[in-house]
Amino acid sequence: MSLLRRPGLLLSAAVTLTVPGVLAALAVLGHEHAAFEARSEAVSLGSSAPPASMPVESLSAAAVPAKPAAGSAAIQKVAAEMEKISGVHAAAFGAAVNPQQALGMRLLSKSAAAGLTTSYQGVELIAQSGVDGAVTMISDVWHQGRGLTVTQTSDAGMVSSSQPYVSYDVDNHSPEGVFGVTKTLVALLGKHYAAAYRGTGVALGRPALVVELDRANGSLAARFWLDRQTLVPLRRDVYDTSARLVSEDAFVQVQFGALTAPPAGAAAASASAPARSAWSKVTVPASLLAQVNGQGWRLPGALPGGLSLYAAAQGKTSAGEVADLGYSDGLSVISLFVQRGTLAPKMSGWQAVNVSGHLVYVAGHSITWAGRGLVYTMIADAPPQTVQAVVAALPGNTAPGFLVRIGRGLDRLATLVNPFR
Amino acid sequence: MSHLGEQISALVDGELNGAELDRANAHLATCEQCRAEAAELRQLKRELRALAAPPAAGKADGHASPAEAADALTRRLLAMAGPGGPVPSRGLRREQHARDRHHGKLPRGGRPPRGRTGMRASERPPADGQPYSRRRPGGTSGETRRRGRYMLWSAVSIVVVGIGAAAFSMGGSTAEPGPKITPQLEMFSVEHALTFGDVPFPDPTQVPAGATKP
């Protein structure tokens, strides 16, 4: 008793009790922050120009900008030419519609159809600005008109897919297309962008028709080079709202018509039932959304950037059911895969990045994170700003506030010392 | 004529008798100075009694014995000394205990509180199970209370800080139920490609056999 009365001893008792606790807290915090901030410095989320590693220069040489198609005489001439090429009757669009816009949308629709019906083979280069730097992929594509498609993609020569990916467009309804130019997406484009024919150009040494997409405010969103002969897209450039080039997809080598034999391994890959069988498409996407939200998942019907729910499917993985929700505005596309659970403690091959205050893991143009008992995996073909906004709009594993953390800790302490549990 | 001098206090205290008393009274009848002095002394004595009166006033006979009055006066003076004041001497404490037992405040077999050397009276274990300070107004009870409060607050803050730190460190990581998931990117990318007409891409987190990252 008399010992305790001494202030010095009291002080040391307090320090002895408190310091280990505070050190433990700091250790835990420090560990979390290390992971959280591991790459925050290296990442400049859309705040700078596309990284230098993006092969803008090399590709640009292949595509010659459009010669302006201004003036009604030129339009008439092109319209007549288009009529000859593709059977589109430009005159039928009506005088009320800007002929350039009517022609632009029509050309994109035709292009989507051409991507399915035309036989082609070649090499595609896909370069995008992701939230964690540039993503570059090279894909060998082999497509038989109205039939088999074989693609084999490698991640900028580093990682190659283990086997060719084979798909059939048996019912002619599969949305397969080139550079995202598909029938359904082109139909969706019209709601968000104004497509306009901008004249002729050259891509990959081939004569091309140039179509531009403008946003409602008049800024350029994307530019397409469509092969003049077949209307298959040869190249697509996408710009963000700050007029920065955020994505460019192009054929670096292409051949139309006569095909060589399918790539080796295609038959084997075809036989080994592609992963598609793991998915069952939901015809009314909103119904799947309503179903999972009925289980308390709280997923949105639309994402920031004007991306609306476009497609949905359900899949099965070893870790349980996965809901796939596809959102798009016709140009940007985002697939959101949601499943119950938490992320594995070790995410090998993934980079921990801080996006919009969320700790996420990035691999290529895939982003995954956990929040409120669900794991979200997002595959995005969209400007980094859109990706950031989407991550911010969804539940994430933000670091808990001080009081929340204390409360949770007290809960666990109580559970630990509870003799009746 | 000589005055009474020191005999006045003996007279006032009632300690004179016989011839001394008669002589003193005769002198007082003639000497105004000694009468005034005696009156003053009596007045002082009354006032001293009045100070000690309250405990004694409750007594049935209405008279407080001089011993009781003195005891009460001592206690009151000690109370006036306040916290941190003089500690009653051992002798005084013994006397007081004896008086307490005499007045029936302690059980007959009760032993006087005996403490270790250096221990204060206020901390002695009370013999009758009652807190000592309750029975003894004054003394060091104020100081004791303050020390007690100080110790209590120290203990409470140590416990609160300790539990808080433990809770903070335990509340860090989220341990949510559900399977631990590593996204199956290849499967997802194929589905993404089919939905949007892109080319499927390889899972960058998986390095197939034979392929090495530079």
Side-chain angles (χ1 to χ4, degrees):
Chain A
M1 283 301 280
S2 63
L3 288 180
L4 265 182
R5 205 177 297 118
R6 292 187 196 164
L9 270 174
L10 259 180
L11 188 68
S12 25
V15 168
T16 314
L17 282 179
T18 312
V19 165
V22 171
L23 283 180
L26 284 179
V28 173
L29 260 190
H31 178 71
E32 286 175 3
H33 276 254
F36 202 73
E37 290 166 0
R39 294 182 53 82
S40 57
E41 273 189 25
V43 179
S44 54
L45 300 174
S47 59
S48 62
S53 59
M54 205 165 158
V56 176
E57 299 305 322
S58 59
L59 275 180
S60 296
V64 177
K67 290 176 195 159
S72 59
I75 294 291
Q76 292 300 325
K77 193 179 161 198
V78 171
E81 201 176 345
M82 291 311 308
E83 202 171 325
K84 208 166 60 188
I85 294 170
S86 58
V88 179
H89 294 278
F93 297 150
V97 185
N98 179 340
Q100 285 184 13
Q101 287 183 4
L103 191 56
M105 193 50 83
R106 196 74 185 163
L107 279 173
L108 285 178
S109 300
K110 279 279 170 191
S111 180
L116 286 176
T117 56
T118 309
S119 295
Y120 60 85
Q121 69 183 86
V123 178
E124 290 178 10
L125 181 69
I126 293 152
Q128 295 177 347
S129 289
V131 291
D132 190 31
V135 179
T136 310
M137 292 184 295
I138 296 166
S139 186
D140 289 316
V141 185
W142 188 96
H143 175 76
Q144 192 175 39
R146 300 184 190 281
L148 190 67
T149 305
V150 182
T151 56
Q152 183 157 19
T153 310
S154 58
D155 179 2
M158 287 191 282
V159 180
S160 190
S161 43
S162 49
Q163 58 181 16
Y165 166 66
V166 180
S167 68
Y168 281 101
D169 180 31
V170 281
D171 53 3
N172 203 24
H173 284 95
S174 186
E176 278 179 35
V178 180
F179 307 142
V181 180
T182 71
K183 285 178 181 174
T184 44
L185 283 177
V186 167
L188 195 56
L189 269 179
K191 292 180 187 169
H192 298 89
Y193 301 94
Y197 171 66
R198 296 295 184 202
T200 55
V202 176
L204 199 63
R206 296 175 66 90
L209 307 173
V210 178
V211 175
E212 285 182 357
L213 291 184
D214 291 337
R215 296 188 184 85
N217 64 6
S219 65
L220 177 65
R223 187 180 286 136
F224 294 87
W225 283 260
L226 310 178
D227 182 58
R228 183 164 168 172
Q229 185 194 338
T230 62
L231 288 183
V232 170
L234 293 176
R235 177 188 175 85
R236 183 188 76 159
D237 288 355
V238 179
Y239 298 85
D240 67 8
T241 48
S242 312
R244 278 193 297 257
L245 182 61
V246 291
S247 157
E248 49 179 353
D249 308 336
F251 273 109
V252 290
Q253 182 191 320
V254 72
Q255 179 192 335
F256 292 102
L259 296 174
T260 60
S270 175
S272 67
R276 175 65 177 175
S277 61
W279 298 93
S280 59
K281 206 166 183 63
V282 177
T283 43
V284 184
S287 67
L288 178 64
L289 187 70
Q291 183 195 325
V292 295
N293 281 349
Q295 303 166 15
W297 283 24
R298 286 193 272 179
L299 298 174
L303 293 180
L307 305 184
S308 53
L309 186 60
Y310 163 85
Q314 274 180 304
K316 254 196 163 344
T317 70
S318 52
E321 298 239 324
V322 184
D324 165 31
L325 299 170
Y327 299 85
S328 180
D329 62 355
L331 181 64
S332 297
V333 296
I334 284 178
S335 285
L336 192 62
F337 298 89
V338 189
Q339 57 200 123
R340 205 173 278 288
T342 53
L343 283 177
K346 277 200 170 181
M347 298 286 289
S348 58
W350 295 80
Q351 300 288 353
V353 175
N354 183 359
V355 173
S356 309
H358 290 28
L359 171 61
V360 305
Y361 294 89
V362 177
H365 56 180
S366 308
I367 299 176
T368 190
W369 72 95
R372 296 200 191 138
L374 297 176
V375 170
Y376 301 85
T377 306
M378 182 163 87
I379 297 177
D381 183 3
Q385 295 99 317
T386 306
V387 172
Q388 283 175 262
V390 170
V391 172
L394 290 165
N397 62 344
T398 45
F402 181 76
L403 287 180
V404 172
R405 190 171 168 152
I406 290 275
R408 205 161 57 189
L410 285 178
D411 254 12
R412 289 178 190 166
L413 268 179
T415 316
L416 267 184
V417 300
N418 181 8
F420 302 110
R421 91 198 135 102
Chain B
M1 175 180 146
S2 64
H3 292 298
L4 286 177
E6 289 188 4
Q7 270 197 321
I8 286 188
S9 68
L11 175 73
V12 168
D13 287 342
E15 288 170 354
L16 297 182
N17 45 26
E20 276 184 308
L21 184 59
D22 290 341
R23 232 186 346 263
N25 279 335
H27 179 79
L28 277 183
T30 57
C31 178
E32 194 163 348
Q33 190 185 343
C34 284
R35 210 159 50 232
E37 203 173 329
E40 204 176 327
L41 263 179
R42 282 200 186 98
Q43 178 63 26
L44 185 63
K45 201 171 178 189
R46 258 200 304 280
E47 277 175 10
L48 281 173
R49 278 222 186 95
L51 263 178
K59 294 215 166 190
D61 57 3
H63 296 290
S65 72
E68 272 173 349
D71 187 18
L73 181 60
T74 310
R75 272 183 271 159
R76 285 182 168 267
L77 288 174
L78 280 173
M80 281 165 70
V87 178
S89 72
R90 303 190 114 207
L92 183 55
R93 284 204 304 273
R94 259 199 299 278
E95 276 173 32
Q96 185 181 342
H97 180 78
R99 275 198 297 275
D100 282 351
R101 193 159 52 185
H102 176 72
H103 294 304
K105 284 184 186 172
L106 287 181
R108 194 139 286 279
R111 285 175 59 79
R114 197 190 303 158
R116 290 184 299 259
T117 311
M119 200 169 202
R120 295 179 193 218
S122 58
E123 288 173 26
R124 295 246 181 95
D128 56 357
Q130 289 292 317
Y132 205 71
S133 56
R134 287 254 177 96
R135 293 188 288 119
R136 276 190 40 180
T140 56
S141 64
E143 187 194 2
T144 308
R145 233 175 284 135
R146 215 168 39 184
R147 280 182 184 283
R149 223 176 292 145
Y150 171 66
M151 281 177 60
L152 184 71
W153 278 114
S154 310
V156 166
S157 0
I158 289 170
V159 166
V160 165
V161 168
I163 289 180
F168 188 78
S169 58
M170 284 186 76
S173 59
T174 41
E176 300 207 32
K180 300 281 178 226
I181 289 166
T182 306
Q184 292 179 275
L185 264 195
E186 192 136 11
M187 174 186 169
F188 291 174
S189 91
V190 167
E191 171 63 11
H192 174 76
L194 276 164
T195 308
F196 293 113
D198 281 343
V199 293
F201 57 87
D203 182 347
T205 65
Q206 303 293 320
V207 181
T212 50
K213 289 200 175 197

